[in-house]
């Protein structure tokens, strides 16, 4: 374990290369004049990083490899881009304490919910505990687009069939009366189910309908039978299944 503190000079504007310190766990760089961070790519073992009270304007690409961080202090800097900054934390599955207060990005109306949603491991944000209700509200805000997309994916439309007797009379099941033993067994099972009391009597079915254009008249037939529309002879085939 190595503890390093570079804030003693209180005027550091550029971070020296620390790649030789492979076992570095804690690093204090607060209270300097740092504007960028570009020398921590090899310090994978860092678990606590203190960068508050600097002049940081951008951390893009500086922290994506610090996946073991548990505590990250970035308050009182000049970070303005919320999405770009939060993206740096997406691989930090152990990050529990984060402080971004007193940065311009913290003035964004969606800042707290956005951060909580995209860094789900957080327990403390800006010295405030992350509550379960906040996680739920954040999920509602940022999962709604995904949910809307999921709602558009369908394999048919939902059809409330009522008692299963209507299913036995459907075109799909009628041939089962004379196909084979297995078909008759399925038919018997449906009969038994339909006689059960309560909610077993009702099932949600899927229903598909399409036109069987093979029954529609050909061109010559339409010419010979003027005034008759093709749709008059086309059959609508409906298939229902549980």
């Amino acid at each position: 374990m190595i503890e390093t503190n570079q804030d003693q000079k209180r005027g550091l504007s550029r971070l020296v290369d620390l790649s030789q310190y492979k076992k570095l766990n804690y690093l204090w760089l607060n209270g300097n004049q740092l504007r960028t961070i570009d020398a921590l790519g090899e310090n994978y073992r860092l678990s606590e990083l203190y960068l508050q009270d600097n002049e940081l304007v951008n951390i893009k690409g500086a922290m994506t490899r610090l996946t073991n961080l548990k505590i990250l202090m970035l308050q009182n800097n000049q970070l303005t881009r919320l999405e770009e900054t939060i993206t740096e934390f997406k691989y930090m599955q152990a990050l529990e304490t984060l402080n971004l207060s007193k940065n311009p990005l913290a003035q964004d109306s969606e800042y707290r919910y956005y951060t909580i949603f995209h860094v789900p491991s957080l327990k403390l944000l800006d010295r405030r505990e992350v509550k379960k209700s906040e996680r739920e509200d954040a999920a509602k805000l940022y999962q709604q687009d995904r949910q809307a997309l999921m709602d558009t994916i369908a394999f048919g439309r939902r059809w409330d069939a009522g008692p299963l007797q209507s299913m036995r009379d459907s075109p799909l099941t009628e041939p089962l009366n004379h196909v084979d033993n297995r078909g008759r067994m399925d038919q018997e099972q449906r009969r038994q189910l339909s006689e059960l009391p309560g909610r077993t009597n009702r099932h949600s079915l899927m229903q598909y309908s399409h036109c069987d254009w093979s029954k529609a008249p050909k061109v010559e037939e339409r010419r010979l039978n003027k005034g008759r529309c093709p749709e008059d002879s086309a059959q609508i085939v409906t298939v229902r299944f549980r």
Side-chain angles (χ1 to χ4, degrees):
M1 182 183 298
I2 299 176
E3 295 187 15
T4 302
N5 191 329
Q6 293 198 19
D7 68 344
Q8 296 176 354
K9 295 182 179 180
R10 294 292 179 179
L12 192 65
S13 59
R14 185 175 181 180
L15 184 61
V16 298
D17 185 10
L18 298 174
S19 60
Q20 60 181 314
Y21 302 108
K22 301 294 185 181
K23 297 183 179 181
L24 190 64
N25 295 114
Y26 311 103
L27 181 59
W28 283 265
L29 292 166
N30 53 297
N32 285 285
Q33 299 174 9
L34 295 172
R35 295 182 63 82
T36 59
I37 295 292
D38 54 7
L40 299 176
E42 302 299 322
N43 303 108
Y44 308 111
R45 295 194 179 186
L46 272 176
S47 61
E48 297 184 15
L49 180 57
Y50 299 86
L51 287 165
Q52 68 269 28
D53 303 322
N54 274 283
E55 300 176 5
L56 294 172
V57 295
N58 185 9
I59 61 171
K60 184 178 181 180
M63 299 184 182
T64 52
R65 303 177 75 177
L66 304 181
T67 56
N68 289 317
L69 276 179
K70 295 181 179 179
I71 298 176
L72 178 57
M73 297 296 178
L74 285 165
Q75 66 267 31
N76 196 23
N77 278 284
Q78 299 300 319
L79 300 173
T80 59
R81 299 179 181 179
L82 177 59
E83 293 184 12
E84 182 179 280
T85 300
I86 301 304
T87 298
E88 289 295 302
F89 313 143
K90 65 180 179 180
Y91 297 119
M92 299 181 185
Q93 299 182 4
L95 187 61
E96 297 180 350
T97 301
L98 174 65
N99 198 329
L100 287 166
S101 61
K102 297 183 180 179
N103 278 283
L105 59 77
Q107 301 302 315
D108 191 301
S109 59
E110 297 184 12
Y111 156 70
R112 187 168 177 87
Y113 285 139
Y114 185 88
T115 305
I116 290 172
F117 179 75
H118 287 90
V119 192
S121 59
L122 282 181
K123 295 182 178 179
L124 199 66
L125 176 60
D126 297 345
R127 301 178 64 181
R128 287 172 50 195
E129 180 184 0
V130 177
K131 299 179 180 179
K132 180 180 178 181
S133 59
E134 289 181 309
R135 295 188 192 280
E136 293 173 348
D137 291 341
K140 291 177 182 177
L141 282 173
Y142 297 105
Q143 281 186 337
Q144 58 183 356
D145 292 339
R146 180 176 180 274
Q147 187 60 44
L149 177 62
M150 294 297 292
D151 289 343
T152 65
I153 301 175
F155 300 96
R157 57 191 177 91
R158 193 177 183 86
W159 182 65
D160 193 3
L164 282 178
Q165 183 177 358
S166 59
M167 183 176 180
R168 293 201 307 274
D169 297 336
S170 70
L172 179 65
T173 57
E174 284 178 356
L176 293 177
N177 291 323
H178 54 78
V179 174
D180 53 25
N181 291 333
R182 182 178 178 182
R184 287 192 290 273
M185 184 181 298
D186 291 342
Q187 194 75 354
E188 179 63 18
Q189 288 176 343
R190 291 192 181 92
R191 185 189 65 76
Q192 294 176 0
L193 284 173
S194 65
E195 295 174 355
L196 292 176
R199 63 179 184 177
T200 310
N201 234 8
R202 299 182 64 84
H203 292 265
S204 176
L205 302 183
M206 297 298 292
Q207 173 175 301
Y208 290 91
S209 298
H210 69 278
C211 290
D212 183 3
W213 292 102
S214 64
K215 304 296 184 182
K218 302 295 188 294
V219 177
E220 293 184 359
E221 294 175 339
R222 292 203 304 270
R223 183 169 54 82
L224 295 174
N225 298 280
K226 294 182 180 180
R228 188 178 182 184
C229 297
E231 291 78 7
D232 294 338
S233 299
Q235 292 184 353
I236 297 178
V237 178
T238 299
V239 179
R240 303 165 187 156
F241 60 90
R242 185 170 55 206

